[in-house]
Coordinates of all heavy atoms in Angstrom, one line a residue:
L1 N 17.9 -23.3 0.4 CA 16.8 -24.1 -0.2 C 17.1 -24.6 -1.6 O 16.9 -25.8 -1.9 CB 15.5 -23.3 -0.2 CG 14.8 -23.0 1.2 CD1 13.8 -21.9 1.0 CD2 14.2 -24.2 1.8
I2 N 17.7 -23.7 -2.4 CA 18.0 -24.1 -3.8 C 19.1 -25.2 -3.7 O 18.9 -26.2 -4.5 CB 18.6 -22.9 -4.5 CG1 17.4 -21.9 -4.8 CG2 19.2 -23.3 -5.8 CD1 17.9 -20.5 -5.4
D3 N 20.0 -25.1 -2.9 CA 21.1 -26.2 -2.7 C 20.4 -27.5 -2.3 O 20.8 -28.6 -2.8 CB 22.1 -25.8 -1.7 CG 23.0 -24.6 -2.2 OD1 22.9 -24.2 -3.4 OD2 23.6 -23.9 -1.3
T4 N 19.5 -27.4 -1.4 CA 18.8 -28.6 -0.9 C 17.9 -29.2 -1.9 O 17.8 -30.4 -2.1 CB 18.0 -28.3 0.4 OG1 18.8 -27.7 1.4 CG2 17.3 -29.5 1.0
F5 N 17.2 -28.4 -2.7 CA 16.3 -28.8 -3.7 C 17.0 -29.5 -4.9 O 16.4 -30.1 -5.8 CB 15.4 -27.7 -4.2 CG 14.4 -27.2 -3.2 CD1 13.7 -26.0 -3.4 CD2 14.3 -27.9 -2.0 CE1 12.8 -25.6 -2.5 CE2 13.4 -27.4 -1.0 CZ 12.6 -26.2 -1.3
A6 N 18.3 -29.4 -5.0 CA 19.1 -30.0 -6.0 C 18.9 -31.5 -6.0 O 19.0 -32.2 -7.0 CB 20.6 -29.7 -5.9
S7 N 18.6 -32.0 -4.8 CA 18.3 -33.5 -4.7 C 16.8 -33.8 -4.9 O 16.4 -34.9 -4.8 CB 18.7 -33.9 -3.3 OG 20.1 -33.7 -3.1
G8 N 16.0 -32.7 -5.1 CA 14.6 -32.9 -5.4 C 13.7 -32.4 -4.2 O 14.1 -32.5 -3.1
I9 N 12.5 -32.0 -4.6 CA 11.5 -31.6 -3.6 C 10.1 -32.0 -4.2 O 9.9 -31.6 -5.4 CB 11.6 -30.1 -3.1 CG1 10.4 -29.8 -2.1 CG2 11.5 -29.2 -4.3 CD1 10.6 -30.5 -0.8
D10 N 9.3 -32.7 -3.5 CA 8.0 -33.1 -4.1 C 6.8 -32.4 -3.5 O 5.9 -32.0 -4.1 CB 7.9 -34.6 -3.9 CG 8.9 -35.4 -4.6 OD1 8.9 -35.4 -5.9 OD2 9.8 -36.0 -3.9
I11 N 6.9 -32.2 -2.1 CA 5.8 -31.7 -1.4 C 6.2 -30.7 -0.4 O 7.2 -30.9 0.4 CB 4.9 -32.8 -0.7 CG1 4.4 -33.8 -1.7 CG2 3.8 -32.2 0.1 CD1 3.8 -35.0 -1.1
V12 N 5.6 -29.5 -0.3 CA 5.8 -28.6 0.8 C 4.5 -28.5 1.6 O 3.4 -28.2 1.0 CB 6.2 -27.2 0.3 CG1 6.3 -26.2 1.4 CG2 7.5 -27.3 -0.5
V13 N 4.5 -28.6 2.9 CA 3.4 -28.4 3.8 C 3.7 -27.1 4.6 O 4.7 -27.1 5.4 CB 3.1 -29.6 4.7 CG1 2.0 -29.3 5.6 CG2 2.9 -30.8 3.9
D14 N 3.0 -26.1 4.3 CA 3.3 -24.7 4.8 C 2.3 -24.3 6.0 O 1.1 -24.2 5.7 CB 3.2 -23.7 3.7 CG 3.3 -22.3 4.2 OD1 4.3 -22.0 5.0 OD2 2.5 -21.4 3.9
Y15 N 2.9 -24.1 7.1 CA 2.1 -23.7 8.3 C 2.3 -22.2 8.6 O 1.7 -21.6 9.5 CB 2.5 -24.4 9.6 CG 2.0 -25.9 9.6 CD1 2.8 -26.9 9.2 CD2 0.7 -26.1 10.0 CE1 2.3 -28.2 9.2 CE2 0.2 -27.4 10.0 CZ 1.0 -28.5 9.6 OH 0.6 -29.8 9.6
L16 N 3.1 -21.5 7.8 CA 3.5 -20.1 8.1 C 3.0 -19.0 7.2 O 2.5 -18.0 7.5 CB 5.0 -20.0 8.2 CG 5.7 -20.8 9.3 CD1 7.2 -20.5 9.3 CD2 5.1 -20.4 10.7
W17 N 3.1 -19.3 5.8 CA 2.8 -18.3 4.8 C 3.8 -17.2 4.9 O 4.8 -17.3 5.5 CB 1.4 -17.9 4.8 CG 0.9 -17.3 3.5 CD1 0.2 -16.1 3.3 CD2 0.9 -17.9 2.2 NE1 -0.1 -16.0 2.0 CE2 0.3 -17.1 1.3 CE3 1.4 -19.1 1.7 CZ2 0.2 -17.3 -0.1 CZ3 1.3 -19.4 0.4 CH2 0.7 -18.5 -0.5
G18 N 3.5 -16.0 4.3 CA 4.4 -14.9 4.4 C 5.7 -15.1 3.7 O 5.8 -15.8 2.7
Q19 N 6.7 -14.4 4.1 CA 8.0 -14.3 3.4 C 8.7 -15.7 3.3 O 9.3 -16.0 2.3 CB 9.0 -13.4 4.2 CG 10.4 -13.3 3.5 CD 10.3 -12.8 2.1 OE1 9.7 -11.8 1.8 NE2 10.9 -13.5 1.2
S20 N 8.5 -16.5 4.4 CA 9.2 -17.9 4.3 C 8.6 -18.7 3.2 O 9.3 -19.4 2.5 CB 9.1 -18.6 5.6 OG 7.7 -18.9 6.0
A21 N 7.2 -18.6 3.0 CA 6.6 -19.4 2.0 C 7.0 -18.9 0.6 O 7.3 -19.7 -0.3 CB 5.1 -19.3 2.1
L22 N 7.1 -17.5 0.5 CA 7.6 -17.0 -0.8 C 9.0 -17.4 -1.1 O 9.3 -17.7 -2.3 CB 7.5 -15.4 -0.7 CG 7.9 -14.7 -2.0 CD1 7.0 -15.1 -3.2 CD2 7.8 -13.2 -1.8
S23 N 9.9 -17.4 -0.1 CA 11.2 -17.9 -0.4 C 11.3 -19.3 -0.8 O 12.1 -19.7 -1.7 CB 12.0 -17.7 0.9 OG 12.2 -16.4 1.3
I24 N 10.4 -20.2 -0.2 CA 10.4 -21.6 -0.6 C 9.9 -21.7 -2.1 O 10.5 -22.4 -2.9 CB 9.5 -22.4 0.3 CG1 10.2 -22.5 1.7 CG2 9.3 -23.8 -0.2 CD1 9.3 -23.0 2.8
M25 N 8.8 -21.0 -2.4 CA 8.3 -21.0 -3.8 C 9.3 -20.5 -4.8 O 9.5 -21.1 -5.9 CB 7.0 -20.3 -3.9 CG 5.8 -21.0 -3.3 SD 4.2 -20.2 -3.6 CE 4.2 -19.1 -2.1
T26 N 10.0 -19.5 -4.4 CA 11.1 -18.9 -5.3 C 12.2 -19.9 -5.5 O 12.7 -20.1 -6.7 CB 11.6 -17.6 -4.7 OG1 10.6 -16.7 -4.5 CG2 12.7 -17.0 -5.6
A27 N 12.6 -20.6 -4.5 CA 13.6 -21.6 -4.6 C 13.2 -22.8 -5.4 O 14.0 -23.4 -6.2 CB 14.0 -22.1 -3.2
V28 N 11.9 -23.1 -5.4 CA 11.3 -24.2 -6.2 C 11.4 -23.8 -7.7 O 11.9 -24.5 -8.6 CB 9.9 -24.5 -5.9 CG1 9.3 -25.4 -6.9 CG2 9.8 -25.2 -4.5
V29 N 11.0 -22.5 -8.0 CA 11.1 -22.0 -9.3 C 12.5 -22.0 -9.9 O 12.8 -22.4 -11.0 CB 10.5 -20.6 -9.4 CG1 10.7 -19.9 -10.7 CG2 9.0 -20.6 -9.1
K30 N 13.4 -21.6 -9.0 CA 14.8 -21.4 -9.5 C 15.6 -22.8 -9.5 O 16.5 -23.0 -10.3 CB 15.6 -20.4 -8.6 CG 15.1 -19.0 -8.8 CD 15.9 -18.1 -7.9 CE 15.5 -16.6 -8.0 NZ 16.3 -15.7 -7.2

């Protein structure tokens, strides 16, 4: 995710929550 977000990320639509959502938010922060 961090590697992918190097090109930018504007919107996340989350249908799962839980660990996958936390990983995505962590990758956004980092």
Side-chain angles (χ1 to χ4, degrees):
L1 291 168
I2 291 173
D3 294 343
T4 302
F5 292 170
S7 300
I9 178 67
D10 299 293
I11 299 170
V12 176
V13 179
D14 171 49
Y15 286 97
L16 297 181
W17 202 232
Q19 180 59 51
S20 64
L22 181 58
S23 293
I24 292 169
M25 285 187 271
T26 301
V28 170
V29 171
K30 292 181 178 180

